[in-house]
Amino acid sequence: MLPVQDIYQSLLTTLQSNPMALLQAPPGAGKSTWLPLTLMREGHFKRIVMLEPRRLAARNIAQYLASQQNEIVGDSVGLRIRGESKVSSTTKLEIVTEGMLTRMLQNDPELSDVDLLIFDEFHERSIAADTALAFALETQAALRDDLKILLMSATLDGERYSEFFSCPIISSQGRSYPIDEVYIPLKDESRWLDDIPALIKQALSEQSGSALVFLPGQREIMRVQQSLNDLNDSVEVFSLYGEQNKKEQQAAIAPAKNGKRKVVLTTNVAETSLTIEGIRIVVDSGKRRAANFNLKTGVTELVTQSISRSSAIQRAGRAGRIEPGVVYRLGSKQTFERRNSHDAPEILTSDISQLLLEAKQWGASLAELSLLDPPSNQQIKQATALLKMLEAIDKNEKLTPLGSQMLSYGADIRLSHMLIKAKQLDQRMPGIYILAGYLTALLESRISMPADLNLALHSQHSKPHPVFKQQLNYWLSRLQLKPVNELKTEYLSLLVALAFPDRLAKKRGNGYLLANGAGADLSEEFWHNDDYIAIAHMGGHKGNRVFAAVAFMPSDLDDELSHLFTEQTRCEYDEKAGRFIHQDELKLGAITIASQPSKQPLDKSERTKAWLNLFSKQGFSLFNEQPDSEQLLIRMSLASKLLPESFPRLNHDDLIADSQWLAPYLDDIKNLEQLKKFNYSEAIKSCFDWQQQSLLNEHLPLRLTVPSGSNVKVTYQLDGPAKLSVRMQEVYGMTSTPLLAQGKLPLLMELLSPARRPLQLTQDLANFWQTSYRDVQKEMKGRYPKHFWPDDPANSQATNKVKSKM
């Protein structure tokens, strides 16, 4: 009996009485197979759509469930993945991949006839799954209160998800079969891959059955495969990864032949919702290839990193699907326990331009969507800039008809933009559309290629790599095009510019300046030395290494990409020359294409822009030292931080990044000397309204009145307590330390001698009077006999005079 069968009735009751539920069930519990099939067979729901994060798992689950029905895929059990749709009027359970579900929701927000959505393996937290769930929740709230949503995983962050979505958790205890754990400590972390072949051989010698070996990517798979040539004839080695064709994938998944054992070297595609008969050994490298988005360059680079504990549990679960199993983990148990509990969600580590565009099409802002982990403002800013370059949104950030068309294309939005525009241009530029198809196939195949895109395309055209050939056949069929004998590569730079407008680059020193403002370096294999290049592939450790590009001339892009070019006047102050630089410029993003002395006279507004630009580079160090202004800025920053409900966000970095608050005060400043002397306190005050300024003086006063009647200055700092330096006699009678910012900011009292030398530092004045004061009193009576040193300072008269004048 599968573990999920024990909780089936409880889950069904929960779903019938709640709009949403979470199912936490271990690998092998039957949640991806038995559960949806039983829900369909018993007719509790008219039509069920189950989302699977990976195409391989989706296809195999659909085939398995259809076989359980003695049917083919497309009858009661359907499948919808990119390039493959098998559904019919009799389909009651449809297995789909993430992008497909988003398209279904965008095309039919009511999800007509669907009454249960299942998100399988939700722990993977892909950006597409987060998007589809956010839309489904809006559909449920606004259009379909009868729609049910079920999230499933072995390793959900259950309590957090339950609280966020306000829904119950159903847990299935125990796995189908027990799994033993073996930890193999590493001698040298940097050479972990060298230890894998020996570990596989050890596992095969100690255990019966076949083995599933988890590695980060194809490169590691090929290297390990070459190291297993000496296995005996009874062991067959297979590889399994996402870019393989169906025939190779099915060979890897199929049961071992009679009398044979198999070793399957795989990536994360086999981590979830996949059963390979005969597998009872898992060898886990503990590594994965993950997307790491570089906000500066706009490049998503795949990096090798350690997996989380939840991923390790998922991987181990593959060993206990059919019988008791064992997992061999590379690394010590202590290393395993130090790993993060869950992998970072993709929405925080990826380019969110597709998500932002989907939200525009849906008619909602990202802030309005129920996203477990909202992207940062920086991510949104970067994505917005890219979507404008791709003409998907206009200058007012509204969705354009082209943007809608790009979403419906079912491809990466960059390539969608290129393909749509190439089709429109083909009548004037014959051959550009077929060239776009070949370029798309080249970029999507992810094969090793020469740095020169011209050379790369010609090379694949004459001697195609199998993966390129597979991609080319798909795209030619999709675009309804036929192969050609000759490619019109003179259009190549325009196509790259259409797909990657942010990566148009101009020579700068030994590298290049990109249109998005980032810098790029050339890889060692890159021999281009052109003034301008259009970059199709870049990445590397810092995301700034150029791997594949083509030369271009800005004039080649004037007609088709005119929106990328802007004419503007630049006014900057050159400190070395001691004068203003006033130029009329033609810009391509951050790149200056042409520049000449401005024909317009230098006016106040241009001069102010120059001063603001100088301030953005130097910050507050631009001005002469101003202790009072600095204290005001610190107080305002503290108010913003400690009392956010009463004060707007304000800090040094924000004020420098957005300096418009300063602009109205610079109109009459004509030279650098005047600017350095400028007192910026009034300008900063303008960031708070009159009421907020009054509250600032109330909660974080510049001075405090002490019992002697003196107004003593408080010194503030951004980190740490505020400080009040005052002579001890002036605070007699004060029984407690004053409170600042409603008690949220500590006050450090520096009690001074009559000669204003430090005697004591305290944040608890009442305790000081009762304890350490006695020792201070003894010493001070001898040193300053004319001054008042009472035995009970907490209840004595404060004074700023000697005893004879009190």
Side-chain angles (χ1 to χ4, degrees), residues 138-423:
E138 289 219 332
T139 289
Q140 188 184 62
L143 303 171
R144 289 284 310 281
D145 58 3
D146 61 324
L147 178 68
K148 305 293 184 179
I149 298 174
L150 175 62
L151 304 185
M152 304 196 305
S153 173
T155 50
L156 276 175
D157 191 356
E159 288 187 10
R160 181 188 171 215
Y161 292 6
S162 175
E163 183 179 349
F164 185 85
F165 294 118
S166 301
C167 64
I169 304 177
I170 305 296
S171 295
S172 168
Q173 301 302 321
R175 63 175 81 245
S176 293
Y177 297 94
I179 296 172
D180 292 330
E181 298 173 331
V182 179
Y183 292 90
I184 308 296
L186 271 167
K187 294 178 182 176
D188 184 352
E189 172 68 31
S190 66
R191 300 178 64 84
W192 64 268
L193 189 58
D194 295 341
D195 293 348
I196 294 291
L199 182 53
I200 294 170
K201 292 170 185 177
Q202 176 187 339
L204 289 172
S205 67
E206 294 176 354
Q207 307 293 332
S208 61
S210 295
L212 186 63
V213 183
F214 283 99
L215 295 163
Q218 291 181 46
R219 185 176 67 248
E220 292 83 359
I221 286 175
M222 300 309 171
R223 183 169 156 188
V224 171
Q225 196 163 15
Q226 290 170 3
S227 301
L228 297 177
N229 290 331
D230 57 347
L231 291 176
N232 65 52
D233 294 340
S234 65
V235 181
E236 294 182 306
V237 180
F238 295 85
S239 60
L240 179 63
Y241 49 88
E243 285 73 25
Q244 280 176 307
N245 60 43
K246 278 194 269 186
K247 185 178 178 182
E248 291 172 329
Q249 289 179 340
Q250 292 307 314
I253 294 168
K257 297 172 185 174
N258 286 336
K260 298 273 190 180
R261 304 170 74 186
K262 71 191 302 184
V263 173
V264 181
L265 307 174
T266 186
T267 62
N268 264 4
V269 297
E271 187 175 296
T272 54
S273 303
L274 192 66
T275 299
I276 303 176
E277 285 189 40
I279 295 289
R280 61 170 304 276
I281 308 166
V282 163
V283 176
D284 186 3
S285 67
K287 305 290 183 183
R288 69 167 184 151
R289 198 88 80 230
N292 185 24
F293 183 61
N294 187 316
L295 274 168
K296 205 169 185 181
T297 61
V299 172
T300 299
E301 179 71 0
L302 293 176
V303 296
T304 302
Q305 58 184 220
S306 296
I307 60 172
S308 64
R309 294 196 303 275
S310 65
S311 285
I313 292 167
Q314 289 282 355
R315 290 181 175 185
R318 303 305 101 192
R321 303 299 292 266
I322 309 297
E323 57 184 310
V326 60
V327 57
Y328 286 77
R329 291 197 174 109
L330 190 62
S332 66
K333 188 170 184 179
Q334 291 81 359
T335 302
F336 173 78
E337 289 172 348
R338 285 198 299 268
R339 288 178 185 165
N340 294 331
S341 60
H342 292 80
D343 294 322
E346 195 179 30
I347 196 170
L348 299 181
T349 60
S350 298
D351 174 11
I352 64 158
S353 52
Q354 176 95 23
L355 165 61
L356 187 58
L357 193 58
E358 293 280 10
K360 301 278 185 189
Q361 175 86 333
W362 186 254
S365 67
L366 293 186
E368 293 170 327
L369 297 176
S370 295
L371 296 168
L372 268 161
D373 296 279
S376 68
N377 289 333
Q378 274 187 297
Q379 285 176 285
I380 295 170
K381 184 178 178 181
Q382 188 276 340
T384 301
L386 176 60
L387 292 178
K388 286 180 180 178
M389 284 183 158
L390 292 172
E391 304 170 277
I393 59 175
D394 61 24
K395 62 182 180 181
N396 297 316
E397 301 182 12
K398 302 295 183 185
L399 182 71
T400 64
L402 178 58
S404 293
Q405 194 178 353
M406 286 160 59
L407 279 177
S408 64
Y409 219 76
D412 178 275
I413 57 172
R414 290 177 178 273
L415 299 179
S416 297
H417 181 252
M418 177 187 74
L419 289 164
I420 293 166
K421 297 291 280 189
K423 187 176 183 179

Side-chain angles (χ1 to χ4, degrees), residues 747-761:
L747 178 65
L748 180 67
M749 296 188 70
E750 182 182 46
L751 303 179
L752 308 175
S753 71
R756 305 196 70 82
R757 293 190 176 89
L759 294 177
Q760 183 74 29
L761 290 171

